[in-house]
């Protein structure tokens, strides 16, 4: 739930296909939003009374027309106000879930473009927009979050294979 220590809280959800491809959104080029014109996960502000997972599912429905059966909480990151170019720090809740519908069924209602990208593409820190026909940046904090998730998933998979 909302932590009063951080007046601004948001959620992003990293949707994946078998943890090999991640669905990312190219954010709008509006100066009024944090991180305009860069690649990120889908998400937004957490509304009063929402848990991060509920907010993540709501944002996916609003931005993609996709309602997953559920998403998993990963971890929180605190982004300094200078990074988000706002008046206060931002607590960013990161969730993840499996994309269980074909890419062609997704309807992008927010952002400039979307795409499925591999780990090797993500670590290049620039991703190609098919719609705009050019590469655009992925912020370092987003790359770090995705790499942290890859490490977490890899360690979980190693642990579950040892238990068998």
């Amino acid at each position: 739930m909302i932590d009063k220590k951080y007046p601004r809280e948001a959620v992003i959800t990293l949707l994946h296909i078998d943890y090999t491809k991640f669905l990312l959104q190219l954010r709008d080029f509006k100066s009024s939003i944090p991180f305009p014109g860069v690649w990120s996960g889908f998400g937004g502000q957490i509304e009063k009374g929402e848990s991060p997972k509920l907010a993540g599912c709501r944002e996916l429905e609003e931005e993609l027309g996709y309602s997953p059966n559920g998403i998993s909480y990963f971890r929180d990151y605190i982004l300094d106000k200078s990074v988000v170019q706002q008046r206060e720090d931002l607590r960013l809740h990161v969730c993840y879930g499996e994309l269980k519908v074909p890419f062609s069924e997704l309807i992008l209602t927010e952002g400039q473009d979307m795409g499925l990208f591999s780990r090797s593409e993500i670590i290049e820190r620039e991703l190609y927009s098919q719609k705009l026909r050019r590469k655009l940046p992925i912020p370092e904090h987003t790359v770090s979050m995705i790499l942290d998730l890859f490490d977490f998933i890899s360690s979980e998979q190693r642990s579950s294979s040892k238990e068998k």
Side-chain angles (χ1 to χ4, degrees):
M1 287 296 184
I2 300 293
D3 182 346
K4 296 198 184 319
K5 181 178 175 188
Y6 296 98
R8 294 193 60 241
E9 296 202 42
V11 62
I12 66 165
T13 301
L14 300 168
L15 291 175
H16 65 86
I17 297 174
D18 296 327
Y19 301 105
T20 60
K21 295 274 188 174
F22 280 84
L23 181 69
L24 298 178
Q25 171 197 51
L26 180 58
R27 294 178 56 80
D28 285 315
F29 292 96
K30 296 178 183 175
S31 60
S32 60
I33 64 170
F35 310 109
V38 300
W39 292 97
S40 184
F42 289 86
Q45 292 293 119
I46 296 177
E47 295 177 0
K48 187 175 181 172
E50 279 186 319
S51 68
K53 286 169 55 172
L54 182 62
C57 287
R58 176 185 50 78
E59 289 287 345
L60 291 172
E61 174 64 34
E62 289 174 5
E63 296 178 9
L64 286 173
Y66 177 60
S67 296
N69 290 333
I71 58 176
S72 298
Y73 168 78
F74 174 50
R75 69 172 60 140
D76 291 352
Y77 292 83
I78 306 303
L79 302 180
D80 185 83
K81 60 187 173 189
S82 63
V83 172
V84 291
Q85 299 175 341
Q86 301 287 314
R87 285 182 282 202
E88 62 255 342
D89 295 346
L90 174 68
R91 182 178 181 183
L92 185 62
H93 304 270
V94 179
C95 297
Y96 66 100
E98 188 173 0
L99 181 61
K100 295 185 177 184
V101 299
F103 183 82
S104 61
E105 289 185 20
L106 301 173
I107 301 165
L108 184 66
T109 61
E110 189 173 306
Q112 293 294 308
D113 199 1
M114 65 179 168
L116 288 165
F117 301 99
S118 68
R119 181 183 193 278
S120 60
E121 290 172 304
I122 290 166
I123 62 175
E124 292 295 320
R125 279 129 173 109
E126 282 193 324
L127 301 171
Y128 187 77
S129 166
Q130 295 291 333
K131 183 178 173 186
L132 301 181
R133 298 178 186 259
R134 63 183 170 125
K135 284 188 171 188
L136 290 142
I138 178 171
E140 189 59 39
H141 69 271
T142 302
V143 173
S144 295
M145 289 174 204
I146 294 171
L147 293 178
D148 288 350
L149 181 59
F150 272 118
D151 290 345
F152 171 75
I153 297 307
S154 295
S155 67
E156 288 288 304
Q157 289 170 340
R158 283 192 301 272
S159 295
S160 66
S161 67
K162 286 180 184 176
E163 293 172 6
K164 292 180 181 178

